[in-house]
Amino acid sequence: MKSHTEVKPAMDTMSRARRGFLHALAGLAAASAVPALRAQTIPLIANAEGGYRFLPVNPVFAGGAVAEQGFVHAVFFSWLPFDAGLHAVERHLRAAGRPIRALAGLELRLPRQLTADEFAAFNAPYVERLMRWGMPVDGLNPVCRTNVAPADEAPAEPSVHAFSYCIPVEGFPRSYVMSGMTEGGASIVAHGDTSAEGMRRKLAHVAGVVSRRLDQLGVGWRDASHIDLYSAHGFGAPPAQLLEPVLGTALRRGLRWHHGRPPVVGLELELEARGLARELVVPV
C-alpha cells in the first residue's frame, strides 16, 4: 500500500493540471455571463414554415437553430437503421401535425469512426434525402446534426438515435438546438493524446467553441436544459466539475456523458447543448 508521501506528488500534479484547466476556462465563464451581443455576426436564417431560425454552416448541417416557440427532443427507445429511422421521423411529424420543415436536428449513431473520405461518402445520400424532403431554405441546410460512434454496443449499420423539431408552445423564448462540436477543425487539439491531460485540453477547447456557437445563436449555457458530452476516455476528474466555471447554473440539470467518439478518425470528444421545451421517448 502506498504511503501518503508516495501519492502526494501525483495528487499535486493533478491539482496543478486542474488549476490550469480552470484557468483556461475562466475567460469563458466570464464571457458566458454577458448577454450574447456577438450573436449577429452571422445572421440567422428564418425557416418560417418550420417555426425556427437557423445558423447556416455548410451543406451537410446547420450550426444551430432557435425556435420561435419551443423544441421537442424525441429519442427512439431503440436505434433505428438509417432509412427506417428517417421514415419513422416522417411518420412522427405527420402524426404530430407538424410539417417536415419543423425538423431541426438529427442524431445518428455509427458502427465505427470513419475516415474523412468515408464520412464524405456517407454524407452524400444524407444530403440528397434532405433535398427530397424539401428541407433547404434559400438553398441552405437548416437541420443540425450530431454523429457519434459508440464505444460499446455500436449498431451494425448507421442508425438514428434521436431528432428535434419545433412545436407551437408558449413560455420558451430561448429554446434551441445545435450540432455537436469537436476538437477538430483546421487542426486537432492534442492530436493523438487521450491521456487525462490531453482530454482536459480537448474539453477546454471544445467548451470554448460551443460557447462561441451559443453566442452566435443569441443564447447561452444558462438557457440549456440538456448538455451532452461524448468521449470514450476519462479526464482525471469528473467532467461536470471541470466544466462548472462555464456551465454554471446549467449544471443543476445535469451533464449526460455518452461513452463514444465523434464520427471521424482522430477525433475523441464532442459536446453540445440544447434548450428544450419537451423531451419524449418514441417507442419502436
Side-chain angles (χ1 to χ4, degrees), residues 73-156:
H73 185 236
V75 181
F76 287 121
F77 186 76
S78 299
W79 297 331
L80 289 175
F82 186 71
D83 285 335
L86 294 186
H87 284 306
V89 170
E90 286 185 278
R91 289 195 302 271
H92 181 91
L93 291 176
R94 192 161 51 245
R98 301 300 294 145
I100 191 65
R101 273 194 172 178
L103 179 66
L106 281 168
E107 296 159 60
L108 308 182
R109 296 294 183 262
L110 306 177
R112 58 176 175 82
Q113 285 189 304
L114 306 175
T115 66
D117 288 343
E118 287 174 328
F119 192 53
F122 171 75
N123 286 329
Y126 169 79
V127 173
E128 183 182 338
R129 174 65 68 94
L130 295 187
M131 296 288 288
R132 291 204 306 269
W133 274 349
M135 289 301 303
V137 176
D138 297 333
L140 301 169
N141 185 351
V143 181
C144 302
R145 204 175 89 184
T146 297
N147 312 275
V148 179
D152 299 308
E153 299 186 16

Side-chain angles (χ1 to χ4, degrees), residues 8-228:
K8 189 175 186 301
M11 292 175 63
D12 288 345
T13 299
M14 181 180 295
S15 297
R16 286 196 299 273
R18 185 170 182 272
R19 285 197 298 271
F21 180 92
L22 295 177
H23 178 75
L25 289 181
L28 300 176
S32 63
V34 178
L37 300 178
R38 297 185 294 278
Q40 303 310 314
T41 55
I42 302 176
L44 302 185
I45 306 298
N47 174 4
E49 184 182 359
Y52 62 85
R53 295 172 297 123
F54 68 95
L55 180 72
V57 172
N58 61 49
V60 178
F61 56 83
V66 180
E68 295 300 332
Q69 291 188 309
F71 280 122
V72 174
H73 185 236
V75 181
F76 287 121
F77 186 76
S78 299
W79 297 331
L80 289 175
F82 186 71
D83 285 335
L86 294 186
H87 284 306
V89 170
E90 286 185 278
R91 289 195 302 271
H92 181 91
L93 291 176
R94 192 161 51 245
R98 301 300 294 145
I100 191 65
R101 273 194 172 178
L103 179 66
L106 281 168
E107 296 159 60
L108 308 182
R109 296 294 183 262
L110 306 177
R112 58 176 175 82
Q113 285 189 304
L114 306 175
T115 66
D117 288 343
E118 287 174 328
F119 192 53
F122 171 75
N123 286 329
Y126 169 79
V127 173
E128 183 182 338
R129 174 65 68 94
L130 295 187
M131 296 288 288
R132 291 204 306 269
W133 274 349
M135 289 301 303
V137 176
D138 297 333
L140 301 169
N141 185 351
V143 181
C144 302
R145 204 175 89 184
T146 297
N147 312 275
V148 179
D152 299 308
E153 299 186 16
E157 58 185 296
S159 300
V160 182
H161 164 68
F163 58 102
S164 299
Y165 62 97
C166 190
I167 60 170
V169 58
E170 299 292 342
F172 292 89
R174 289 177 176 267
S175 186
Y176 69 91
V177 296
M178 64 176 294
S179 292
M181 306 194 76
T182 74
E183 78 275 27
S187 60
I188 298 177
V189 174
H191 192 191
D193 185 357
T194 57
S195 67
E197 180 181 355
M199 294 305 297
R200 286 193 295 269
R201 287 178 58 198
K202 293 174 184 289
L203 184 60
H205 173 78
V206 178
V209 172
V210 173
S211 294
R212 290 189 289 275
R213 175 56 48 82
L214 297 181
D215 280 352
Q216 291 178 309
L217 295 173
V219 299
W221 293 106
R222 64 192 177 280
D223 304 306
S225 60
H226 294 70
I227 300 167
D228 290 83

